[in-house]
């Protein structure tokens, strides 16, 4: 709100668009600045899922164990979240138009902001032009799974490693032909520590020779790794959209994504009445899906990959521009 006030004092616009999640700045511009207001919500500042996890005392990356194990602290955090969600809803309703980036975000914003009559799903722009140039072939000598994600806790690389380990146990005779590539950037010391912990997990599971860490790779190397991989894996629970999932599908890998959030509701959905990929949610279902995908016949694999590539055209930059301008058009008209 302080930042919003500073901006308002420097310049009063006709239309204020918040695309950063600063809902508490909306009343400043609407009532003090007399502006028309628009929100483009990528991820709700708070969600009903977050409330439920705290209420259920479920440990996660944003609900520390010392809180989840304490009834008193869990109760206090739940009350704080409820109060914050209530205020967040009041602020969000100051938007004249609301855009959200996925069905998952839409559902949560509806529960919190309750403005269905002026809320629109506008998928984020995904530049997939370079990925769609990768030829769709079935010439994979090595059976490779590729993951593209920053080494953040919510990306749950541990689930990828444990699932891959279980899969390898049923392929002990030809274990050496399977590889898991973890491609991502390390932003800070915390990420580097996380990578070391993941390496230690691979060693503990005795699969260190089957897992490779590719850190801070160039875009050309990224495309090369995607072009030679059979499966593209994603394991984040309740990803609000999933641009990485779209890129993996565009590149021609068979996507294996988490059965939640944007991948479940918007991306890995049937297209032209045909499958575009696979969904899973735990070690057993991920390892089973890996087995299913690697056992696909070449023609079956090619049909899924072709259909997936066609389906992600829905998320192009052109589609985003069309949707964004359609929503904002009425606000751009001069008042009589």
């Amino acid at each position: 709100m302080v930042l919003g006030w500073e901006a308002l004092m420097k310049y009063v616009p006709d239309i204020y668009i918040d695309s950063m999640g600063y809902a508490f700045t909306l009343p400043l511009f609407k009532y003090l600045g007399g502006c028309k207001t628009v929100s483009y919500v990528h991820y709700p500042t708070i969600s009903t899922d977050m409330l439920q996890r705290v209420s259920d005392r479920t440990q996660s990356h944003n609900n520390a164990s010392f809180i989840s194990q304490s009834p008193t602290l869990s109760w206090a955090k739940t009350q704080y979240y409820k109060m914050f969600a209530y205020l967040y809803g009041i602020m969000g309703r100051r938007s004249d138009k609301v855009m959200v980036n996925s069905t998952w975000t839409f559902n949560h914003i509806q529960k919190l902001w309750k403005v269905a009559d002026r809320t629109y799903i506008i998928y984020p722009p995904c530049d997939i032009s370079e990925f769609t140039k990768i030829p769709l072939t079935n010439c994979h000598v090595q059976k490779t799974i590729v993951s593209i994600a920053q080494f953040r806790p919510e990306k749950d690389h541990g689930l990828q490693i444990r699932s891959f380990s279980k899969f390898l146990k049923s392929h002990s005779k030809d274990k050496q032909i399977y590889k898991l590539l973890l491609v991502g950037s390390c932003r800070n010391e915390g990420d580097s520590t996380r990578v070391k912990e993941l390496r230690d997990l691979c060693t503990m599971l005795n699969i260190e020779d089957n897992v490779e860490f590719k850190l801070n790779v160039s875009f050309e190397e990224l495309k090369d790794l995607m072009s030679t991989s059979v499966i593209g894996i994603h394991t984040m629970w309740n990803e609000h959209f999933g641009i990485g999932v779209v890129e993996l599908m565009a590149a021609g890998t068979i996507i294996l994504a988490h059965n939640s959030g944007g991948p479940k509701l918007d991306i890995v959905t049937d297209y032209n009445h045909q499958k575009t990929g696979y969904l899973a949610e735990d070690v057993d279902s991920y390892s089973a899906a890996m087995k299913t995908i690697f056992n696909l016949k070449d023609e079956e694999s090619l049909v899924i990959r072709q259909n997936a590539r066609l389906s992600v055209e829905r998320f192009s930059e052109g589609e985003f521009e069309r949707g964004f301008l359609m929503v904002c058009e009425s606000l751009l008209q001069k008042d009589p």
Side-chain angles (χ1 to χ4, degrees):
M1 294 176 75
V2 172
L3 177 64
W5 176 256
E6 179 185 340
L8 189 61
M9 291 300 98
K10 290 181 179 293
Y11 182 79
V12 180
D14 295 309
I15 300 174
Y16 172 65
I17 302 176
D18 166 40
S19 62
M20 292 293 290
Y22 301 155
F24 283 74
T25 63
L26 291 166
L28 290 175
F29 284 86
K30 187 176 183 69
Y31 298 122
L32 298 183
C35 311
K36 295 176 180 178
T37 53
V38 181
S39 293
Y40 184 57
V41 185
H42 299 271
Y43 197 88
T45 305
I46 192 167
S47 70
T48 51
D49 287 335
M50 291 166 63
L51 273 165
Q52 192 62 50
R53 279 200 160 191
V54 175
S55 180
D56 292 343
R57 296 172 59 191
T58 302
Q59 182 181 345
S60 65
H61 69 274
N62 57 4
N63 193 38
S65 59
F66 76 90
I67 293 177
S68 63
Q69 293 171 9
S70 167
T72 303
L73 291 178
S74 292
W75 178 86
K77 188 173 181 179
T78 300
Q79 299 312 305
Y80 164 70
Y81 269 21
K82 285 181 178 179
M83 179 186 69
F84 188 91
Y86 175 73
L87 293 174
Y88 181 58
I90 292 175
M91 301 300 149
R93 286 192 285 276
R94 303 314 106 187
S95 293
D96 294 307
K97 297 285 185 179
V98 180
M99 290 177 277
V100 295
N101 68 338
S102 68
T103 302
W104 182 88
T105 306
F106 178 89
N107 292 338
H108 283 281
I109 286 297
Q110 286 317 297
K111 290 176 183 176
L112 295 165
W113 291 12
K114 300 178 174 64
V115 286
D117 60 322
R118 55 181 188 272
T119 303
Y120 308 83
I121 297 175
I122 307 295
Y123 296 124
C126 304
D127 184 2
I128 57 174
S129 56
E130 288 299 313
F131 298 112
T132 55
K133 293 177 184 177
I134 296 173
L136 294 178
T137 66
N138 285 311
C139 301
H140 298 105
V141 177
Q142 196 167 47
K143 306 295 186 181
T144 305
I145 302 171
V146 63
S147 163
I148 54 169
Q150 289 180 331
F151 289 97
R152 306 202 313 257
E154 65 269 25
K155 296 299 183 180
D156 205 352
H157 288 86
L159 176 56
Q160 298 175 10
I161 292 170
R162 291 189 295 273
S163 302
F164 184 56
S165 174
K166 179 164 185 177
F167 166 78
L168 288 179
K169 287 178 181 177
S170 61
H171 292 77
S172 54
K173 292 183 179 179
D174 56 352
K175 176 181 176 180
Q176 70 282 356
I177 70 170
Y178 296 98
K179 286 281 186 181
L180 172 63
L181 307 178
L182 300 180
V183 185
S185 59
C186 278
R187 303 162 301 167
N188 49 42
E189 186 177 340
D191 286 356
S192 298
T193 300
R194 208 165 288 115
V195 168
K196 182 183 182 305
E197 292 170 350
L198 292 170
R199 290 184 188 274
D200 291 343
L201 177 61
C202 293
T203 302
M204 185 184 75
L205 295 172
N206 195 30
I207 60 170
E208 64 271 22
D209 292 336
N210 298 85
V211 180
E212 293 183 18
F213 289 81
K214 303 285 187 178
L215 309 180
N216 305 316
V217 303
S218 67
F219 183 66
E220 288 304 314
E221 186 178 355
L222 173 65
K223 286 197 299 180
D224 183 60
L225 294 171
M226 294 165 91
S227 69
T228 56
S229 297
V230 179
I231 299 174
I233 192 170
H234 160 277
T235 45
M236 179 176 170
W237 172 78
N238 267 349
E239 176 93 75
H240 52 294
F241 180 68
I243 290 179
V245 175
V246 172
E247 291 173 343
L248 285 165
M249 292 168 72
T253 66
I254 295 183
I255 193 66
L256 173 54
H258 199 282
N259 189 29
S260 65
K264 175 184 179 180
L265 298 172
D266 294 303
I267 306 174
V268 192
T269 57
D270 286 356
Y271 183 76
N272 290 332
H273 307 291
Q274 295 186 70
K275 183 182 285 293
T276 59
Y278 293 79
L279 297 169
E281 54 193 26
D282 54 23
V283 169
D284 290 341
S285 55
Y286 268 101
S287 60
M290 291 175 189
K291 183 175 181 180
T292 297
I293 295 170
F294 280 128
N295 286 338
L296 288 172
K297 296 178 181 177
D298 285 351
E299 55 270 25
E300 294 173 328
S301 170
L302 190 58
V303 167
I304 293 173
R305 292 157 66 210
Q306 287 174 333
N307 199 49
R309 177 173 282 184
L310 287 173
S311 75
V312 296
E313 292 295 335
R314 299 171 289 158
F315 311 121
S316 67
E317 291 182 319
E319 284 296 308
F320 171 79
E321 290 174 8
R322 183 193 62 78
F324 187 91
L325 292 175
M326 177 194 71
V327 172
C328 294
E329 186 175 16
S330 62
L331 299 181
L332 296 170
Q333 305 298 323
K334 287 186 178 181
D335 294 329

